[in-house]
Amino acid sequence: MIGILRSQLINAFAKEICCDSILYGDSTTRLAERTLSEAAKGRGGAIPWLTADGQSPSGVKTVYPMRDLLRKEITAYTVSTIPPLTPFLIENTAERDPSASSKNTTIEDLMGQYFQSVEQNYPSIVANVVRTSGRLVAPSPMGQDEAVCQICRLPLIEGAKGLHWSGEQDDPADIARVTGRRDTSTLCYGCARSTLNP
């Protein structure tokens, strides 16, 4: 949820100061981590907006100029420059604090640990994840009347009848009325799962 709020804050600030584009410093490794963690959290439909260059649903263009560089390549470069650029690197939490207890490990931490190990010996796997996610195409820009998720502000899938995030095969509004749970029809699958009370 913090990542969603941070993204919304960046987009709102960019629109407020009339920016045309937002440049993110995410490497191939970081984009691969995000791709698999978002898919695991049920936000697979958002991957084109979260990892690809192009127009975001907020109307501001996003660009990832370092998308073809692995984290280890960026780190090697920052060490070799004079003066070293290492103070500007943000430490990877997966490297710093690999949790011994899987109970307290987040999906992001697991993906970070996974790609940290894969990147060393099999960098092509990391690049393939990002190239594959780059083939996903985001729907055309949203119209004013298109339904969006109340939390992440991404478009909701039209006609979401059938199997829903809760595993129910009825309309979410009907489920909310019968079970007393709040109506989740204004939330995407990933946000509904993130806000689910056990």
Side-chain angles (χ1 to χ4, degrees), residues 70-72 95 115-123 126:
L70 296 169
R71 181 178 291 132
K72 69 179 184 177
E95 290 175 12
F115 282 109
Q116 177 187 350
S117 64
V118 169
E119 180 184 47
Q120 298 306 315
N121 298 318
Y122 307 102
V126 180

Side-chain angles (χ1 to χ4, degrees), residues 165 181-182 191-198:
W165 65 268
R181 290 186 283 173
R182 69 164 185 233
C191 290
R193 294 298 292 172
S194 296
T195 59
L196 182 64
N197 292 329

Side-chain angles (χ1 to χ4, degrees), residues 8 148-154 156 185-188 191:
Q8 288 181 5
V148 296
C149 174
Q150 294 293 316
I151 296 175
C152 68
R153 312 302 300 160
L154 292 174
L156 293 173
S185 61
T186 58
L187 300 178
C188 69
C191 290

Side-chain angles (χ1 to χ4, degrees), residues 8-84:
Q8 288 181 5
L9 179 64
I10 291 170
N11 281 309
F13 183 70
K15 287 177 85 169
E16 185 178 312
I17 61 172
C18 301
C19 289
D20 293 327
S21 301
I22 300 171
L23 302 177
Y24 288 101
D26 295 347
S27 64
T28 299
T29 312
R30 177 67 188 114
L31 292 173
E33 291 170 10
R34 183 177 299 146
T35 297
L36 293 189
S37 66
E38 294 299 321
K41 291 186 289 186
R43 299 181 196 280
I47 290 173
W49 285 296
L50 298 174
T51 62
D53 294 342
Q55 199 73 13
S56 71
S58 68
V60 179
K61 184 178 178 184
T62 57
V63 181
Y64 298 91
M66 296 173 50
R67 71 177 304 113
D68 294 326
L69 300 171
L70 296 169
R71 181 178 291 132
K72 69 179 184 177
E73 294 171 332
I74 295 170
T75 303
Y77 176 76
T78 59
V79 170
S80 67
T81 61
I82 299 174

Side-chain angles (χ1 to χ4, degrees), residues 113-135:
Q113 292 169 15
Y114 171 73
F115 282 109
Q116 177 187 350
S117 64
V118 169
E119 180 184 47
Q120 298 306 315
N121 298 318
Y122 307 102
S124 62
I125 291 175
V126 180
N128 282 338
V129 170
V130 175
R131 275 197 301 268
T132 302
S133 70
R135 291 186 183 120

